[in-house]
Amino acid sequence: MQHQAILVLDFGGQYNQLIARRVRENKVYCEVLPYSTPIEKIREGQYSGIIFTGGPSSVSAIDAPRCDPAVFELGIPILGICYGAQLMATVLGGAVDRPEKREYGKVSLDIIKQDSLLFRRVDAHTTCWMSHTDQIIQLPSGFSATAKTSSCQTAAMEHAAKKQYAVQFHPEVQHTPQGNLMLRDFLFDVCGCTGDWHMAAFVQDAVEKVKQQVGNRKVLCALSGGVDSSVAAVLIHRAIGKNLTCIFVDHGLMRKDEGDMVVKIFREQFDMNLIRVNAQQRFLDKLSGIIEPEQKRKIIGEEFIRVFEEEAKRIGSVDFLVQGTIYPDVIESGTGDAAVIKSHHNVGGLPEDIGFEAILEPLRELFKDEVRMVGLELGIPGPLVWRQPFPGPGLGIRVIGEITEEKLVVLREADAVFRDEIAKANLDQDIHQYFAVLTGIRSVGVMGDERTYDHTIALRAVTTNDFMTADWAQIPFEVLARISNRIVNEVREVNRVVYDITSKPPATIEWE
Ligand code: XMP
């Protein structure tokens, strides 16, 4: 390994990839491996430090996840977080107990040892995020408590000489405002990292890995023009060039000029093998007469896979399939029994009929903004890298009611005006998703003394962190006025524009 690396040993906590991300943000390379990783492999990794994640188990449970205790003898600095802290305490000879009251949420943290390498830059009284049932009641020999809360005497402990540190709280989450100072000091002062890693190194490593895995074999990628599949495709292309073939299924439900842009970028700029399948009519035929949103999604998803499979068969045998899976997809599709509000077809549906050996998911461990950084690093143009999220079924779920080509034309034009004005007002980075909806309502208007009976366009714009909840964006009135004016003047068959002022919940971001 050429660069310094931190090992995040995963005990099943919900924040394990977030810890990895925080390490990367500090420009230190990091790998996440399961807690059961053999000690030889850990030794071989020559890690500069190890972070134990939290986890849902109780260390006293018989089947509690435990790593090889020899890890404490390697002389590598360790930081245990939450379950990781409790595990350190018990394995090293201390004790953990279950108090009457569990500690959950934002809690005041008092630093006991201000000159601890972990807390030197942290305020004496700060806030931390706690989420635990068990807590350390007896320190292992050689350890001292370095921070406490009102109900937890050992919120942090350390054995500085052995470079072993433990915190009961979660320094990686935003609710621990000084958490990054602690992590940073662990990485730099305790582990001696220098912070010289960057996304270019990620790209280099990922490209190398793909070269090794794929060799001279054939890879196929379904390119949607979205950020994730685009970045994944360009990365794989850098590794194996023309052995990658991309299939872009144009379902005719893209925004104005989008299909052409995708083709231009990937064929001309990157010189990729790109097959564009013009399947617009096929999708329209299948969607004819369909008004129910979930049925639309299902049809679009299934048809997409069918078209893709047919095209793939034409190419002949392939060995690998690329997926632009990113870390939030991995969590979201893993949660199982949440109620289905909308079925998102980018999760799950894989073509089954093409034989392939394995799936390549080079972005599986990255968060969205990290994927964008990789995209920029690979030379993908800004408008594509910063593209707002666009649902797989595209405009199909933004034409309310039956989808026809005429309606799609109206919607595309109105949407293009909306996007243009938002960009001109410099609001495109502040509003996280914005688009036009063809509401399916016709209403009466008057234009040049003539009665009209035309479409109503709704504008939807939201600000959000995670797209699970969202606020409607407070677009300045004068910008809304310009947008409305231009749409009714420039887009045929539209005589009314309304602005959607509902948050999510109770509404959703899309109308269907
Ligand atoms: P909702 O409408 O559920 O949307 O508030 C949340 C986010 O998901 C996107 N979305 C979809 N993405 N396939 C997708 O790939 C879909 O069927 C789909 N439906 C909604 C939506 O645009 C928003 O970003």
Side-chain angles (χ1 to χ4, degrees):
M1 190 170 306
Q2 286 153 17
H3 33 67
Q4 296 167 325
I6 292 291
L7 169 64
V8 173
L9 211 52
D10 181 3
F11 289 91
Q14 53 179 327
Y15 302 128
N16 50 15
Q17 288 295 341
L18 186 60
I19 298 171
R21 179 217 168 97
R22 296 284 179 241
V23 175
R24 294 195 292 262
E25 275 174 354
N26 282 301
K27 301 196 176 349
V28 176
Y29 175 73
C30 122
E31 287 175 10
V32 182
L33 292 177
Y35 68 89
S36 52
T37 304
I39 194 74
E40 298 75 36
K41 184 162 180 199
I42 297 181
R43 197 177 286 123
E44 275 165 22
Q46 296 182 13
Y47 297 105
S48 304
I50 303 176
I51 300 179
F52 290 4
T53 74
S57 310
S58 166
V59 274
S60 43
I62 296 173
D63 55 355
R66 285 165 190 276
C67 53
D68 189 328
V71 74
F72 295 104
E73 309 303 325
L74 295 175
I76 303 175
I78 296 179
L79 171 64
I81 295 176
C82 197
Y83 175 86
Q86 296 159 9
L87 183 74
M88 278 174 77
T90 48
V91 174
L92 295 172
V96 164
D97 195 13
R98 178 159 295 193
E100 274 171 27
K101 205 171 124 225
R102 64 194 287 261
E103 219 176 6
Y104 182 81
K106 280 190 196 176
V107 176
S108 296
L109 181 75
D110 300 324
I111 305 299
I112 303 170
K113 189 171 178 228
Q114 191 76 57
D115 62 348
S116 159
L117 287 186
L118 233 49
F119 301 135
R120 276 192 300 183
R121 293 190 293 144
V122 172
D123 297 336
H125 304 286
T126 183
T127 305
C128 69
W129 179 260
M130 285 287 195
S131 172
H132 67 105
T133 315
D134 292 352
Q135 65 179 28
I136 299 166
I137 51 157
Q138 189 193 324
L139 299 176
S141 107
F143 276 76
S144 59
T146 53
K148 63 181 169 66
T149 71
S150 61
S151 57
C152 181
Q153 284 307 301
T154 308
M157 64 172 192
E158 70 183 35
H159 189 317
K162 286 194 169 168
K163 299 190 176 183
Q164 291 173 351
Y165 294 79
V167 291
Q168 180 55 70
F169 54 89
H170 289 273
E172 70 276 21
V173 305
Q174 273 177 358
H175 304 299
T176 303
Q178 295 192 302
N180 191 45
L181 289 178
M182 305 171 196
L183 280 177
R184 195 177 165 78
D185 286 349
F186 175 71
L187 298 172
F188 288 67
D189 296 349
V190 180
C191 304
C193 295
T194 46
D196 53 3
W197 181 85
H198 39 83
M199 273 302 168
F202 170 87
V203 171
Q204 254 176 16
D205 285 357
V207 164
E208 215 33 62
K209 220 163 119 189
V210 173
K211 274 189 188 160
Q212 301 267 329
Q213 191 180 356
V214 174
N216 200 26
R217 288 177 291 170
K218 303 279 180 223
V219 180
L220 187 64
C221 173
L223 194 67
S224 69
V227 183
D228 306 341
S229 69
S230 300
V231 174
V234 174
L235 200 143
I236 304 278
H237 178 255
R238 185 171 282 192
I240 59 161
K242 295 277 179 183
N243 276 339
L244 169 72
T245 303
C246 292
I247 297 178
F248 166 51
V249 176
D250 189 343
H251 51 24
L253 304 167
M254 308 278 281
R255 291 171 295 190
K256 191 177 177 188
D257 300 332
E258 216 163 24
D260 294 343
M261 178 187 84
V262 170
V263 173
K264 202 169 154 59
I265 293 176
F266 294 102
R267 264 199 207 139
E268 290 178 19
Q269 184 181 336
F270 288 101
D271 192 26
M272 280 191 192
N273 271 335
L274 173 69
I275 299 170
R276 177 185 193 161
V277 192
N278 292 316
Q280 295 91 332
Q281 194 55 49
R282 213 173 136 162
F283 278 86
L284 274 180
D285 291 346
K286 285 270 173 196
L287 288 165
S288 159
I290 307 295
I291 53 170
E292 209 281 312
E294 279 304 286
Q295 220 182 333
K296 286 183 184 174
R297 275 195 175 75
K298 196 158 170 273
I299 291 171
I300 296 168
E302 283 176 2
E303 197 58 15
F304 179 89
I305 291 178
R306 213 158 294 145
V307 175
F308 183 76
E309 276 173 357
E310 283 173 21
E311 213 48 47
K313 280 193 191 136
R314 244 187 275 262
I315 296 173
S317 79
V318 290
D319 304 293
F320 298 91
L321 195 67
V322 182
Q323 284 248 297
T325 318
I326 69 170
Y327 184 63
D329 303 331
V330 177
I331 327 179
E332 272 171 29
S333 27
T335 51
D337 36 272
V340 175
I341 310 294
K342 295 179 187 181
S343 55
H344 289 192
H345 93 250
N346 55 351
V347 181
L350 255 187
E352 290 159 8
D353 258 14
I354 352 167
F356 53 87
E357 179 183 315
I359 296 172
L360 301 175
E361 295 179 310
L363 311 174
R364 202 181 157 83
E365 287 176 359
L366 301 187
F367 286 82
K368 191 82 180 187
D369 53 339
E370 294 181 307
V371 172
R372 293 193 210 274
M373 292 304 129
V374 172
L376 291 175
E377 190 60 48
L378 287 165
I380 299 177
L384 209 164
V385 166
W386 296 111
R387 191 179 187 255
Q388 52 170 314
F390 186 62
L395 302 185
I397 53 167
R398 293 179 182 170
V399 169
I400 311 304
E402 190 185 4
I403 302 165
T404 64
E405 180 53 27
E406 293 71 36
K407 289 185 190 170
L408 286 169
V409 171
V410 172
L411 179 58
R412 267 192 218 109
E413 293 301 323
D415 187 71
V417 170
F418 187 19
R419 286 190 290 140
D420 184 46
E421 286 297 331
I422 291 292
K424 280 186 182 148
N426 280 327
L427 292 171
D428 46 347
Q429 296 278 333
D430 304 331
I431 305 178
H432 302 109
Q433 202 173 2
Y434 50 97
F435 52 86
V437 176
L438 193 72
T439 60
I441 299 170
R442 281 180 186 265
S443 72
V444 175
V446 53
M447 219 175 247
D449 293 338
E450 290 282 329
R451 176 186 188 273
T452 57
Y453 187 59
D454 279 335
H455 291 294
T456 303
I457 283 284
L459 305 174
R460 180 63 161 153
V462 296
T463 55
T464 172
N465 284 324
D466 54 7
F467 298 89
M468 308 288 274
T469 62
D471 281 329
W472 57 276
Q474 308 224 355
I475 299 177
F477 283 165
E478 62 272 19
V479 179
L480 284 172
R482 267 200 304 276
I483 297 164
S484 161
N485 228 326
R486 275 192 60 193
I487 291 179
V488 288
N489 280 308
E490 293 175 28
V491 185
R492 221 174 28 89
E493 288 185 43
V494 175
N495 66 356
R496 197 175 292 269
V497 176
V498 297
Y499 188 43
D500 179 350
I501 52 167
T502 346
S503 61
K504 170 184 179 178
T508 51
I509 296 174
E510 304 287 348
W511 274 38
E512 287 203 327

